[in-house]
Amino acid sequence: MTANTIDLMTRIEGHMKIETTLTGGRVSDARVSGEMFRCFENFLQNRHPFDAARITQIICGVCHEVHGVASILALEELYGVETPRNGRLLRDMILGMHLVTDHILHFYNLCLPDYADFTALLAYKGNDPHINSIKDWVVTTQPQFILTRNDGEYLSDPDVAIPMVANYIEALKVRSEGAAGIAILGAKAPFAHALMPGWITTPITLDRIAKYTQVLEEVSRFVKMKYLPDVLEVASRFKDYFSIGDSHDNYYGNESFSQLGSPLFKSGVVVNGELENFNFRNVTERIDHSYYDRNRQPSPHKYQAYSWIKAPRFHGQPLEVGPLARMVVNQEPSFFNSLTKLGLKYKKNYQFPSSAMARLVARAVESDIICGHLFQLVDAYQPGGANIRDVDLNRPVSGSGLGLSIAARGALIHHITAENGRISKYNMIVPSTWNFGPRDQQYTGIAEEALINTPVSEAGKDSIELGLVIRSFDPCTACAVH
Ligand code: NFE
């Protein structure tokens, strides 16, 4: 039995430690720790409720707009207002563009370096000027993110690995273009300041819609021509990762993209292979192994605590969130078709065994689905229609509001309580809290369970296999500890 610690985990957002026990070349126990305390819920107290939509966006440098949207949904319930349809369409257009470009960033820039041997580029002898310019740049500047490899098995066939390096670089450009598409509607990216309860404040002119559409076409083309094929290529070469990274197989997704009739993703929870309705009342946040005392105040020396992340539970059960959860809750045909094309035999039902590779495939399939939906939103937008409904900012509102929304990494919850126009309590339960929260007295956390049984090659002193499992969730510890 050997102990293995990765501290800090790289190519993720935030500070995370992974401690594993290895028995016979496999992980027999695992602990995942969020290693910082941030306090956003505390410093929202006593502020004007509208501040929440601004302040919560800066929780994260990766998933900013999602907190703006979830916060606004909570505020709209609190104030009893609804944004006009045009405004809601614009909001979903911002949200969707963010989600897709966040997924692209995850696969190419955070995950792919574990799968493709980028150094294959150095042996390139062809005439493609674009590839040659990347090669020249690599030779001149020696970027370590391209040149450094861990011990592990890589996809090194030059016909596959070299275009993937080029797509890695292009993904950065697509992400930046996507930010322009978000900013043209949301006033700014990251942190879309135009998002307000009842409003979207940007003056939306036809040229802004045209610019957004042009960005969407570019992003969508990249998803169809590069992202989906590259993910399926990686999936076909690393099929063993369809049986590595299995967690509790309980899933949760919130309803989202609902402006065109039936929602693109419906709400639901899957526990023990059965679909149930989600109800926020059945959610608790366990702190058995989290650094909080019984009054939920920070307690950094608490006995047997090892994480600043809390452990959300639904009826006591840990739930996995994210694109895979959305595919399972929705029984999404294109996801199951992709698996069939890979020669995998998955039954189309709610009993779906999670895995590191299924998470990557789900994310790419979801990106394609969202792009298709965004084009429909553009068509549905009515130029000249109202984007704004007046909300009385000075009303000393009392009550509560719940924002159930979607983020790239999974289902997102914001819950606000206000008294006399001031926030008295603000609670966020974010995707990475579900996925990376610690164990309770009964269950391991979702990522902890996914690590258990992972084979770790003895030669692989870098334990790259653990990184493949952890990164398949696209972790954000910054959000998780908020
Ligand atoms: Ni900081 Fe986030 C997303 C949220 S993860 S990345 O997506 O909410 O918990």
Side-chain angles (χ1 to χ4, degrees):
M1 222 162 61
T2 49
N4 183 69
T5 300
I6 301 175
D7 183 14
L8 298 168
M9 183 78 198
T10 55
R11 269 186 282 118
I12 65 161
E13 170 73 31
H15 304 138
M16 180 185 289
K17 177 166 73 175
I18 312 292
E19 295 169 286
T20 48
T21 308
L22 306 179
T23 310
R26 284 184 184 265
V27 175
S28 51
D29 194 15
R31 283 180 174 216
V32 175
S33 312
E35 298 214 287
M36 54 187 174
F37 174 65
R38 299 189 69 210
C39 208
F40 269 77
E41 287 159 343
N42 296 35
F43 62 67
L44 281 167
Q45 279 185 14
N46 284 325
R47 300 191 71 105
H48 191 289
F50 273 39
D51 286 353
R54 308 273 75 73
I55 291 175
T56 58
Q57 285 194 60
I58 60 171
I59 284 174
C60 185
V62 181
C63 69
H64 11 86
E65 288 78 22
V66 300
H67 289 294
V69 171
S71 183
I72 281 161
L73 294 175
L75 289 166
E76 289 187 341
E77 190 172 294
L78 173 69
Y79 281 87
V81 292
E82 192 180 53
T83 298
R85 181 166 186 266
N86 254 1
R88 283 181 274 128
L89 295 173
L90 293 167
R91 190 189 284 166
D92 275 0
M93 283 154 69
I94 292 170
L95 186 58
M97 180 66 76
H98 160 72
L99 293 176
V100 173
T101 50
D102 199 347
H103 286 350
I104 290 171
L105 176 91
H106 171 258
F107 176 68
Y108 283 101
N109 308 114
L110 304 179
C111 266
L112 194 58
D114 290 333
Y115 289 103
D117 182 3
F118 289 173
T119 62
L121 179 71
L122 298 174
Y124 183 68
K125 300 250 181 333
N127 299 323
D128 185 319
H130 180 55
I131 305 257
N132 274 316
S133 78
I134 299 173
K135 181 184 166 187
D136 290 347
W137 172 75
V138 169
V139 170
T140 315
T141 61
Q142 300 278 305
Q144 288 312 301
F145 67 90
I146 298 240
L147 296 177
T148 307
R149 291 279 70 110
N150 291 317
D151 285 344
E153 283 182 28
Y154 287 92
L155 206 163
S156 56
D157 172 356
D159 292 344
V160 179
I162 293 174
M164 283 184 181
V165 188
N167 294 344
Y168 175 106
I169 304 285
E170 195 180 342
L172 295 170
K173 185 170 153 281
V174 171
R175 167 87 171 174
S176 131
E177 268 300 298
I182 293 166
I184 202 93
L185 303 184
K188 188 169 159 296
F191 319 127
H193 281 179
L195 295 172
M196 295 290 278
W199 310 345
I200 178 135
T201 57
T202 337
I204 301 297
T205 49
L206 274 183
D207 59 326
R208 283 182 189 251
I209 298 286
K211 170 68 186 169
Y212 177 88
T213 310
Q214 179 205 327
V215 171
L216 176 59
E217 279 165 359
E218 192 179 324
V219 170
S220 171
R221 194 178 314 119
F222 185 81
V223 168
K224 274 196 195 308
M225 308 299 290
K226 309 279 174 78
Y227 180 23
L228 248 177
D230 280 350
V231 167
L232 295 179
E233 183 70 40
V234 165
S236 71
R237 307 275 186 124
F238 289 86
K239 280 199 180 146
D240 46 340
Y241 275 87
F242 281 103
S243 46
I244 296 173
D246 187 14
S247 188
H248 292 294
D249 301 342
N250 296 333
Y251 304 97
Y252 158 43
N254 280 337
E255 178 180 318
S256 32
F257 296 108
S258 311
Q259 306 310 326
L260 302 181
S262 60
L264 188 64
F265 302 122
K266 68 181 183 188
S267 161
V269 171
V270 171
V271 175
N272 297 328
E274 301 282 338
L275 184 68
E276 300 178 22
N277 291 331
F278 174 78
N279 190 329
F280 178 60
R281 285 202 201 104
N282 300 325
V283 176
T284 49
E285 288 188 280
R286 304 290 304 257
I287 52 169
D288 313 47
H289 293 280
S290 309
Y291 293 120
Y292 301 94
D293 64 21
R294 63 180 64 167
N295 298 318
R296 309 233 148 203
Q297 293 307 305
S299 177
H301 306 296
K302 180 173 150 183
Y303 179 60
Q304 290 196 335
Y306 63 90
S307 181
W308 286 102
I309 308 174
K310 294 171 186 163
R313 298 288 184 262
F314 177 80
H315 280 305
Q317 299 277 341
L319 304 178
E320 174 167 346
V321 297
L324 176 61
R326 292 191 276 262
M327 295 299 111
V328 176
V329 166
N330 287 276
Q331 292 290 289
E332 179 55 51
S334 48
F335 171 65
F336 286 93
N337 288 345
S338 296
L339 298 178
T340 307
K341 278 190 204 141
L342 287 164
L344 300 161
K345 292 192 172 59
Y346 283 102
K347 290 209 180 81
K348 195 166 172 291
N349 63 32
Y350 294 109
Q351 273 173 339
F352 188 88
S354 59
S355 65
M357 198 54 74
R359 292 185 189 101
L360 300 200
V361 173
R363 205 170 275 114
V365 169
E366 174 173 281
S367 299
D368 193 35
I369 293 170
I370 294 175
C371 282
H373 184 74
L374 294 180
F375 282 112
Q376 291 180 24
L377 292 179
V378 171
D379 287 346
Y381 182 77
Q382 294 189 324
N387 302 326
I388 293 178
R389 175 155 299 138
D390 263 348
V391 182
D392 180 3
L393 283 176
N394 296 319
R395 184 151 62 90
V397 70
S398 294
S400 66
L402 181 63
L404 299 178
S405 189
I406 182 174
R409 290 153 197 78
L412 176 59
I413 303 173
H414 280 219
H415 187 227
I416 186 170
T417 312
E419 279 165 35
N420 285 323
R422 295 276 138 188
I423 298 173
S424 54
K425 185 165 183 227
Y426 203 93
N427 187 25
M428 287 169 274
I429 305 180
V430 312
S432 293
T433 310
W434 286 100
N435 285 341
F436 290 94
R439 64 199 59 206
D440 57 32
Q441 288 173 6
Q442 200 174 356
Y443 296 108
T444 46
I446 290 291
E448 292 177 340
E449 184 66 22
L451 284 168
I452 290 171
N453 230 9
T454 299
V456 177
S457 62
E458 279 175 30
K461 61 181 186 304
D462 298 313
S463 312
I464 188 173
E465 299 88 348
L466 305 180
L468 294 181
V469 171
I470 288 294
R471 291 195 190 94
S472 71
F473 290 96
D474 192 5
C476 176
T477 330
C479 276
V481 295
H482 57 270

